[in-house]
Amino acid sequence: MTTGKRLFHYALDFKKMIIVALVMLTISVVTDLVGPFVAKNVIDQHILGIESVWYETSKGDKTVEFNGKYYKREKYVRKNDDKGEHIQILQVGATFVSIHQKLDFDGKRRFTGDKVIIKKGDNSVSYPAEVISGSQILKFYQPEISGILQLLALYFGLLIVSAIFQFGQRFILQKTANRIIQKMREDVFNHIQRLPIQYFDNLPAGKVVARITNDTEAIRELYVTVLATFFTSAINITGIYVALFILNAKLAAICLLLLPILYLWMIIYRKFASKYNRIIRSRNSDINAMINESIQGMSIIQAFGREKETTSDFEKLNREQFTYQNKLLSLNALTSHNLVGILRNLIFVAFIWYFGAQSLLPANVISLGMLYAFVDYINRLFEPVQGIVNQLANLEQALIAGERVFKLMDEPGENVSEERIPRIKGNVRFEHVSFGYKDREYVLKNINFEAKKGETIALVGHTGSGKSSIMNLLFRFYDSQKGKIVIDGKDIESIPRQTVRQHMGIVLQDPYLFTGTIASNVSLNDPLITREKVEKALKDVGADKVFSHLEKGYYEPVIEKGSTLSSGQRQLISFARALAFNPAILILDEATSSIDTETEAVIQEAMDVLKKGRTTFIIAHRLSTIRNADQILVLDRGVIVERGSHDELMSKEGMYYQMYQLQKGA
């Protein structure tokens, strides 16, 4: 499905609101487009209406006294009125004259002495005429005042109705657009939580953030501004063409040439704009990623004096984005104002040519009101055209942004299972497990071991030996390529990830804390973790001794990543978090490596409480912390080279013995 269709499907979720907005928009456009028709009637029927034929009649409503007689416009004469002689009033320059016969045709007028000469093409005719004074002309206008006022009242009434519905449709469309983007952002955020961990190994966090924030904001502009403008413009253009066909079908047909020209121009524009926008959005993501990385590593950048090099790398990305922004700016400058100017001139040339040719024919009379209406509608025609052209840049940005967002949403995610199983016992067995982060590059090779309920298994080895990879497989952050992992006799891959993780807890080497309080970081706002459970978990790990000096105790605010707390305090909170969720299997991934000696002593006192009734896996560099482990697995390059208790391994004087002696300084 194309990006445009997917964006359309998102809009369909709120189709009722959009339909209401479009109905209001249609009413607004129709009431607005009636204006030139009203103006045409004011000009032709009332302001220039006195140039029609006037019949002598008896004194009455809408009659005008002239030369001792009463006259009424032909328009107002009823069938039962007595009609006498007739006159016709003509305006020649600033002078008004009367003649006593109807015009054969109208054209260029000239008044000489007592005659009016009218010339059109090769035809010319003269009529005896009498000059009418200014005060008398005002009397002839008197019957038109009420009609003019009524039409003006109608005109302003239509403007008010148009303004009300215009406001309504804008409000509803923008509200709908915000709702669409709200739903899209929720969908994207929900989806990234379903993505496997390996996806984030290859994509910087800044790029993901850019797609959820910047790209969805560009899409919001599509619904708020671009589509609103396109809808408004389409209805306006349709209404204007209908009005033009009512006034003059031939000229309206000429104006139809505007549409294929506009369509062709849009195709040419999109060809180049899509390329530039794709690069701009990509560079924007790169910039976000670099800013995020620089902020995270600012201490390292400043400590090693890498400010200049980091700035240089940033300027390179910024310069590339600037270059393509300028290219897009040049393209927009060429295709916006210039396009509309060219099209407007073409239409006006056709307009002048058509009316100029028509005016040469004696049989054709073109009223001033008709000319006004045409000029007004043609000017109005280019307002929506200008709107469409000006929004092409935003349209292209939104489509590219949508393409990037949907690419993220198309990444295969994991189904979130609501299935719950009874608490597992914690018997874990690895059977001939081999695993690699890349195909055929195994970091674990034929791993076999068993951990029984309540046992503590320690994993030791040099960096890169595969210790953390075993934990990643056990937690199902990744799945093995060969062999299987069995928990309580069931293959772990036959159990949904969320279901098995419900009974597992983990404490990482570098614990992550969220913005909130110490207590909220323990419970993670899980309603099942009560305040009493939180406080008990913190007390069990000895946190009451460490946090007793804090003003608000366990409800002390924690900012992002817990940067105001020491590494030992963060680790204690992480321990309490794992304990509060009461897992059957507990994983400690080098959990004591960043803790000072005093805090380590506090944690060691709580370890027996933590491990009681749980199968515990400990990855440790400090071998002193695992002396009491039931089984120690020594890994080297993805292979288990030694296994046994501390005393058994020390008696072998193998790899474990050497590592232990090295740490003791022997």
Side-chain angles (χ1 to χ4, degrees):
M1 189 182 296
T2 63
T3 300
K5 286 183 178 179
R6 295 180 74 168
L7 291 170
F8 176 72
H9 279 288
Y10 261 98
L12 285 181
D13 291 337
F14 304 93
K15 56 181 176 292
K16 290 182 180 179
M17 294 177 69
I18 293 175
I19 290 171
V20 170
L22 291 180
V23 170
M24 296 182 76
L25 175 61
T26 304
I27 295 172
S28 171
V29 169
V30 169
T31 52
D32 186 52
L33 291 178
V34 171
F37 274 104
V38 175
K40 175 182 179 297
N41 282 329
V42 169
I43 294 171
D44 286 346
Q45 301 301 321
H46 296 287
I47 295 176
L48 299 181
I50 65 167
E51 290 198 353
S52 62
V53 176
W54 294 72
Y55 286 97
E56 182 185 351
T57 184
S58 58
K59 182 179 180 180
D61 184 39
K62 295 189 181 296
T63 58
V64 177
E65 184 181 1
F66 177 60
N67 290 341
K69 299 178 182 178
Y70 290 95
Y71 292 89
K72 184 184 288 189
R73 267 186 64 185
E74 183 179 24
K75 176 182 176 181
Y76 302 128
V77 174
R78 296 187 294 270
K79 291 182 179 180
N80 56 353
D81 286 342
D82 295 327
K83 293 193 299 185
E85 65 173 6
H86 67 268
I87 62 172
Q88 186 164 357
I89 299 172
L90 300 177
Q91 182 180 1
V92 184
T95 304
F96 285 87
V97 299
S98 66
I99 61 175
H100 289 271
Q101 60 189 103
K102 295 181 181 180
L103 295 180
D104 295 325
F105 59 86
D106 200 2
K108 186 176 181 181
R109 303 171 182 176
R110 183 162 56 91
F111 181 65
T112 56
D114 58 351
K115 289 184 179 180
V116 171
I117 301 172
I118 298 177
K119 186 175 182 181
K120 187 171 187 178
D122 296 330
N123 300 293
S124 178
V125 64
S126 64
Y127 304 94
E130 177 185 350
V131 177
I132 304 175
S133 66
S135 59
Q136 184 62 53
I137 283 296
L138 290 177
K139 291 181 180 180
F140 278 107
Y141 275 115
Q142 198 67 34
E144 310 302 322
I145 292 176
S146 63
I148 292 174
L149 291 176
Q150 289 175 6
L151 288 174
L152 289 177
L154 173 63
Y155 183 76
F156 284 112
L158 291 172
L159 286 180
I160 292 171
V161 172
S162 177
I164 292 171
F165 280 95
Q166 183 73 10
F167 167 79
Q169 67 89 12
R170 282 181 182 274
F171 177 80
I172 293 175
L173 273 182
Q174 294 199 12
K175 182 178 179 180
T176 305
N178 289 333
R179 293 283 299 276
I180 292 170
I181 296 305
Q182 179 189 28
K183 183 178 185 302
M184 182 178 291
R185 280 181 174 156
E186 289 174 353
D187 289 348
V188 176
F189 190 76
N190 289 335
H191 184 71
I192 64 172
Q193 294 187 86
R194 295 175 53 241
L195 293 176
I197 295 297
Q198 59 261 39
Y199 177 80
F200 300 99
D201 292 341
N202 303 315
L203 188 68
K207 290 192 174 186
V208 179
V209 172
R211 295 190 185 185
I212 299 175
T213 56
N214 296 357
D215 288 339
T216 53
E217 187 62 24
I219 297 171
R220 192 183 77 86
E221 283 300 308
L222 170 70
Y223 293 112
V224 171
T225 306
V226 178
L227 293 186
T229 301
F230 276 41
F231 284 147
T232 305
S233 299
I235 294 174
N236 264 300
I237 289 173
T238 302
I240 290 170
Y241 272 116
V242 170
L244 287 175
F245 271 103
I246 292 173
L247 290 173
N248 191 301
K250 289 184 179 179
L251 184 61
I254 295 174
C255 292
L256 282 175
L257 293 174
L258 172 68
L259 299 181
I261 295 173
L262 182 62
Y263 179 71
L264 180 62
W265 206 294
M266 288 175 64
I267 292 175
I268 296 172
Y269 173 85
R270 291 195 61 192
K271 179 180 179 181
F272 293 97
S274 60
K275 173 186 174 183
Y276 298 155
N277 271 304
R278 191 170 280 107
I279 296 174
I280 290 169
R281 304 305 299 184
S282 177
R283 292 297 172 272
N284 192 48
S285 290
D286 293 339
I287 288 171
N288 279 348
M290 186 174 183
I291 291 173
N292 181 67
E293 185 180 60
S294 299
I295 292 172
Q296 299 290 335
M298 189 58 68
S299 58
I300 302 299
I301 292 172
Q302 294 185 2
F304 288 91
R306 305 302 296 171
E307 294 93 341
K308 186 176 180 181
E309 289 76 11
T310 304
T311 302
S312 177
D313 292 340
F314 178 82
E315 286 178 351
K316 181 181 177 182
L317 290 175
N318 204 24
R319 196 180 304 114
E320 288 182 19
Q321 191 197 40
F322 172 77
T323 300
Y324 281 95
Q325 285 278 20
N326 275 352
K327 289 184 178 182
L328 185 63
L329 181 65
S330 300
L331 180 65
N332 291 336
L334 286 170
T335 57
S336 57
H337 179 74
N338 288 343
L339 165 64
V340 176
I342 291 171
L343 295 180
R344 180 184 282 112
N345 290 335
L346 288 174
I347 294 298
F348 271 113
V349 166
F351 174 78
I352 293 168
W353 169 78
Y354 177 79
F355 275 108
Q358 291 294 306
S359 65
L360 296 176
L361 301 175
N364 291 332
V365 177
I366 301 169
S367 70
L368 184 59
M370 175 76 79
L371 289 172
Y372 170 82
F374 262 108
V375 171
D376 193 344
Y377 278 126
I378 290 175
N379 279 324
R380 286 170 181 254
L381 179 62
F382 285 95
E383 290 178 12
V385 170
Q386 180 83 58
I388 290 174
V389 171
N390 287 344
Q391 292 303 322
L392 287 178
N394 288 334
L395 171 64
E396 208 53 47
Q397 287 180 16
L399 291 176
I400 297 300
E403 181 182 311
R404 288 162 52 80
V405 170
F406 291 132
K407 183 179 179 182
L408 174 62
M409 294 179 70
D410 287 340
E411 290 290 335
E414 302 166 353
N415 292 326
V416 178
S417 173
E418 299 295 332
E419 180 185 345
R420 293 292 180 262
I421 59 175
R423 180 182 172 86
I424 61 178
K425 295 178 181 179
N427 296 307
V428 179
R429 189 169 69 252
F430 276 60
E431 298 179 357
H432 307 289
V433 173
S434 295
F435 166 72
Y437 295 98
K438 297 180 180 178
D439 289 340
R440 301 186 180 280
E441 295 183 17
Y442 294 114
V443 295
L444 294 177
K445 305 164 188 174
N446 198 32
I447 299 296
N448 287 281
F449 70 87
E450 183 175 2
K452 295 180 180 178
K453 175 185 176 181
E455 286 188 345
T456 298
I457 309 298
L459 303 173
V460 299
H462 299 298
T463 300
S465 60
K467 303 183 299 297
S468 295
S469 296
I470 289 177
M471 298 303 98
N472 286 335
L473 293 179
L474 186 58
F475 230 86
R476 287 205 69 193
F477 289 143
Y478 301 87
D479 287 325
S480 61
Q481 283 91 359
K482 294 182 180 179
K484 64 180 179 178
I485 302 170
V486 177
I487 295 180
D488 292 349
K490 291 184 178 180
D491 187 341
I492 195 173
E493 293 189 23
S494 67
I495 308 171
R497 297 174 195 267
Q498 292 77 22
T499 304
V500 72
R501 289 171 187 166
Q502 181 190 9
H503 301 288
M504 300 174 75
I506 189 169
V507 179
L508 299 172
Q509 178 182 4
D510 185 17
Y512 194 93
L513 299 186
F514 299 91
T515 302
T517 64
I518 292 173
S520 70
N521 270 281
V522 173
S523 68
L524 295 180
N525 297 317
D526 188 328
L528 298 177
I529 309 297
T530 63
R531 178 173 178 171
E532 290 73 20
K533 285 185 178 180
V534 169
E535 293 180 354
K536 185 178 185 303
L538 285 163
K539 186 177 180 180
D540 287 344
V541 299
D544 55 333
K545 303 172 186 177
V546 179
F547 295 120
S548 59
H549 68 284
L550 297 177
E551 181 182 349
K552 297 181 180 179
Y554 297 149
Y555 298 92
E556 186 74 17
V558 175
I559 62 174
E560 183 183 5
K561 297 182 71 176
S563 56
T564 57
L565 301 175
S566 70
S567 58
Q569 289 172 327
R570 293 197 300 270
Q571 197 62 278
L572 278 173
I573 295 171
S574 185
F575 264 94
R577 177 193 296 163
L579 184 59
F581 280 84
N582 191 27
I585 298 174
L586 179 64
I587 299 171
L588 306 177
D589 188 354
E590 300 186 23
T592 59
S593 62
S594 60
I595 295 176
D596 58 86
T597 306
E598 183 180 352
T599 308
E600 181 182 349
V602 173
I603 292 179
Q604 286 295 343
E605 292 176 5
M607 287 289 277
D608 291 338
V609 177
L610 278 169
K611 294 187 292 183
K612 189 172 294 184
R614 298 180 177 85
T615 305
T616 306
F617 292 86
I618 302 175
I619 297 175
H621 281 154
R622 293 186 185 182
L623 302 185
S624 60
T625 62
I626 59 169
R627 291 187 59 170
N628 296 326
D630 297 296
Q631 186 178 180
I632 299 172
L633 304 179
V634 183
L635 288 98
D636 182 35
R637 299 180 184 179
V639 177
I640 298 176
V641 293
E642 292 180 8
R643 70 180 74 201
S645 66
H646 172 76
D647 293 336
E648 290 172 349
L649 293 176
M650 289 297 290
S651 64
K652 290 180 180 179
E653 296 188 1
M655 185 174 179
Y656 179 82
Y657 174 84
Q658 294 173 9
M659 293 169 63
Y660 192 82
Q661 293 297 323
L662 186 64
Q663 286 195 7
K664 285 181 65 178

